[in-house]
Amino acid sequence: MKTRTIQRTRLVPHTVNGKTEMVLDRYTVDVPIPPRDWDRTVLTAVTAAAGLLVTVTVVWSTASIGDLLARVTIAPAAYAAAVAFDLAWILCMAVEWLSRYDPARASLPRRMGHGALAIAMVAVGAHGWLAGQVAIGAIGAVVSGIVKTLWTVVLRHHAKPLDAKTQQWVDKQRAEAGGELAMVAINRELTRARSLVAAEEAALRTGPDADPDESGQSADEPDPNPQPELTGPMTVKDAVRTALDSGVSDPDKILSYVRQRADANAKPATVDRYIRLARLAG
């Protein structure tokens, strides 16, 4: 059995001048080396080689299909569109890889990948046929098919299908988590909608108060600050009399009313004189 030497540390007591402290002690130990996992090594090598072949296929197909499309459009646009032919089935393989534990979900990207591959192969073959090289076009188309088949074999090896009961359990857990994730967006949408409704109702709430007595004063209690009734134009004397008859006794309020209804330049002395006369007459 093969071993390898590694260095480890441990705490040991160390005493100096009668005082003991725990210090690190470094030591080496031989540990056994596990046997090489050749299966994993081979699988890693096959996966890397398949990835390299995909790159080669993309370059070949892009060159062929790009030259085919360049007959009717400018070269940059033609080669950019040519990448989509192989990129489509490569992306389908990536989704199939993500669904390797769920055969039902992996079936759709697998079928879509085969369809995209067939279109790419037809395009490569058409380029060879139009160029007068039918054999080269057919061989070039087969290259993409070989690489896709190789990747199908690799994916089948990586796939770990679950038994029926475990698959049902996984589906239920996935549905529950998906429902929780969906409720996050739904709750956000509902909150936004309710906020819009509240804002709309607040903007439209412009009608009169349901209580006709806007001052909030009870009908049984007199208003401590009565206001004189508004009538037509009048003299200073009449305005003073109206204010007093309305229950206004504050000279400043009477002066304000006189200036509002009779004379805007009424003097306080004049108003006071009429107040005294009105009170003596009353």
Side-chain angles (χ1 to χ4, degrees):
M1 181 177 61
K2 296 182 179 181
T3 61
R4 59 190 178 94
T5 302
I6 62 175
Q7 189 179 67
R8 293 179 176 174
T9 59
R10 58 188 173 186
L11 289 174
V12 297
H14 184 65
T15 305
V16 177
N17 295 332
K19 186 175 182 179
T20 303
E21 297 285 353
M22 300 299 290
V23 297
L24 288 176
D25 177 42
R26 301 182 184 277
Y27 66 100
T28 59
V29 62
D30 293 332
V31 297
I33 300 176
R36 181 181 293 275
D37 187 357
W38 287 106
D39 291 344
R40 190 65 184 178
T41 301
V42 171
L43 182 59
T44 301
V46 170
T47 305
L52 179 61
L53 289 178
V54 167
T55 303
V56 174
T57 301
V58 170
V59 173
W60 172 263
S61 297
T62 301
S64 298
I65 301 175
D67 185 62
L68 175 66
L69 298 179
R71 298 170 181 263
V72 294
T73 186
I74 59 176
Y79 285 93
V83 176
F85 283 82
D86 276 340
L87 191 60
W89 61 265
I90 292 173
L91 293 178
C92 289
M93 286 196 311
V95 177
E96 184 182 354
W97 166 271
L98 295 176
S99 304
R100 61 188 181 278
Y101 300 112
D102 191 343
R105 299 181 68 185
S107 61
L108 177 60
R110 183 183 304 115
R111 294 195 301 269
M112 294 294 294
H114 290 158
L117 172 66
I119 295 174
M121 293 175 66
V122 169
V124 173
H127 173 258
W129 178 69
L130 291 176
Q133 301 291 336
V134 179
I136 295 178
I139 293 174
V142 170
V143 171
S144 297
I146 292 175
V147 173
K148 180 65 172 68
T149 303
L150 175 61
W151 261 109
T152 300
V153 173
V154 173
L155 290 177
R156 290 281 181 89
H157 191 82
H158 279 284
K160 301 295 186 293
L162 304 176
D163 61 88
K165 293 183 178 180
T166 304
Q167 187 65 57
Q168 293 179 37
W169 184 89
V170 171
D171 292 340
K172 290 184 177 181
Q173 293 296 314
R174 184 181 288 123
E176 182 179 352
E180 294 175 358
L181 182 61
M183 287 306 301
V184 173
I186 292 174
N187 288 332
R188 185 185 300 116
E189 178 182 356
L190 293 176
T191 301
R192 183 168 56 250
R194 292 191 181 103
S195 299
L196 292 175
V197 171
E200 187 72 15
E201 290 178 349
L204 296 177
R205 195 179 299 120
T206 57
D209 196 342
D211 185 2
D213 185 6
E214 297 182 357
S215 65
Q217 183 68 29
S218 174
D220 298 331
E221 298 179 1
D223 190 352
N225 297 311
Q227 297 293 329
E229 296 180 359
L230 297 179
T231 60
M234 59 184 69
T235 64
V236 174
K237 182 178 180 180
D238 292 337
V240 171
R241 172 59 65 180
T242 302
L244 291 173
D245 291 343
S246 300
V248 179
S249 58
D250 186 13
D252 293 333
K253 291 185 176 180
I254 295 175
L255 176 62
S256 176
Y257 179 72
V258 170
R259 287 178 174 176
Q260 178 184 3
R261 304 302 303 165
D263 185 2
N265 298 318
K267 296 181 180 180
T270 303
V271 174
D272 289 341
R273 185 174 69 254
Y274 282 124
I275 292 174
R276 289 194 300 270
L277 293 174
R279 287 175 178 174
L280 289 175

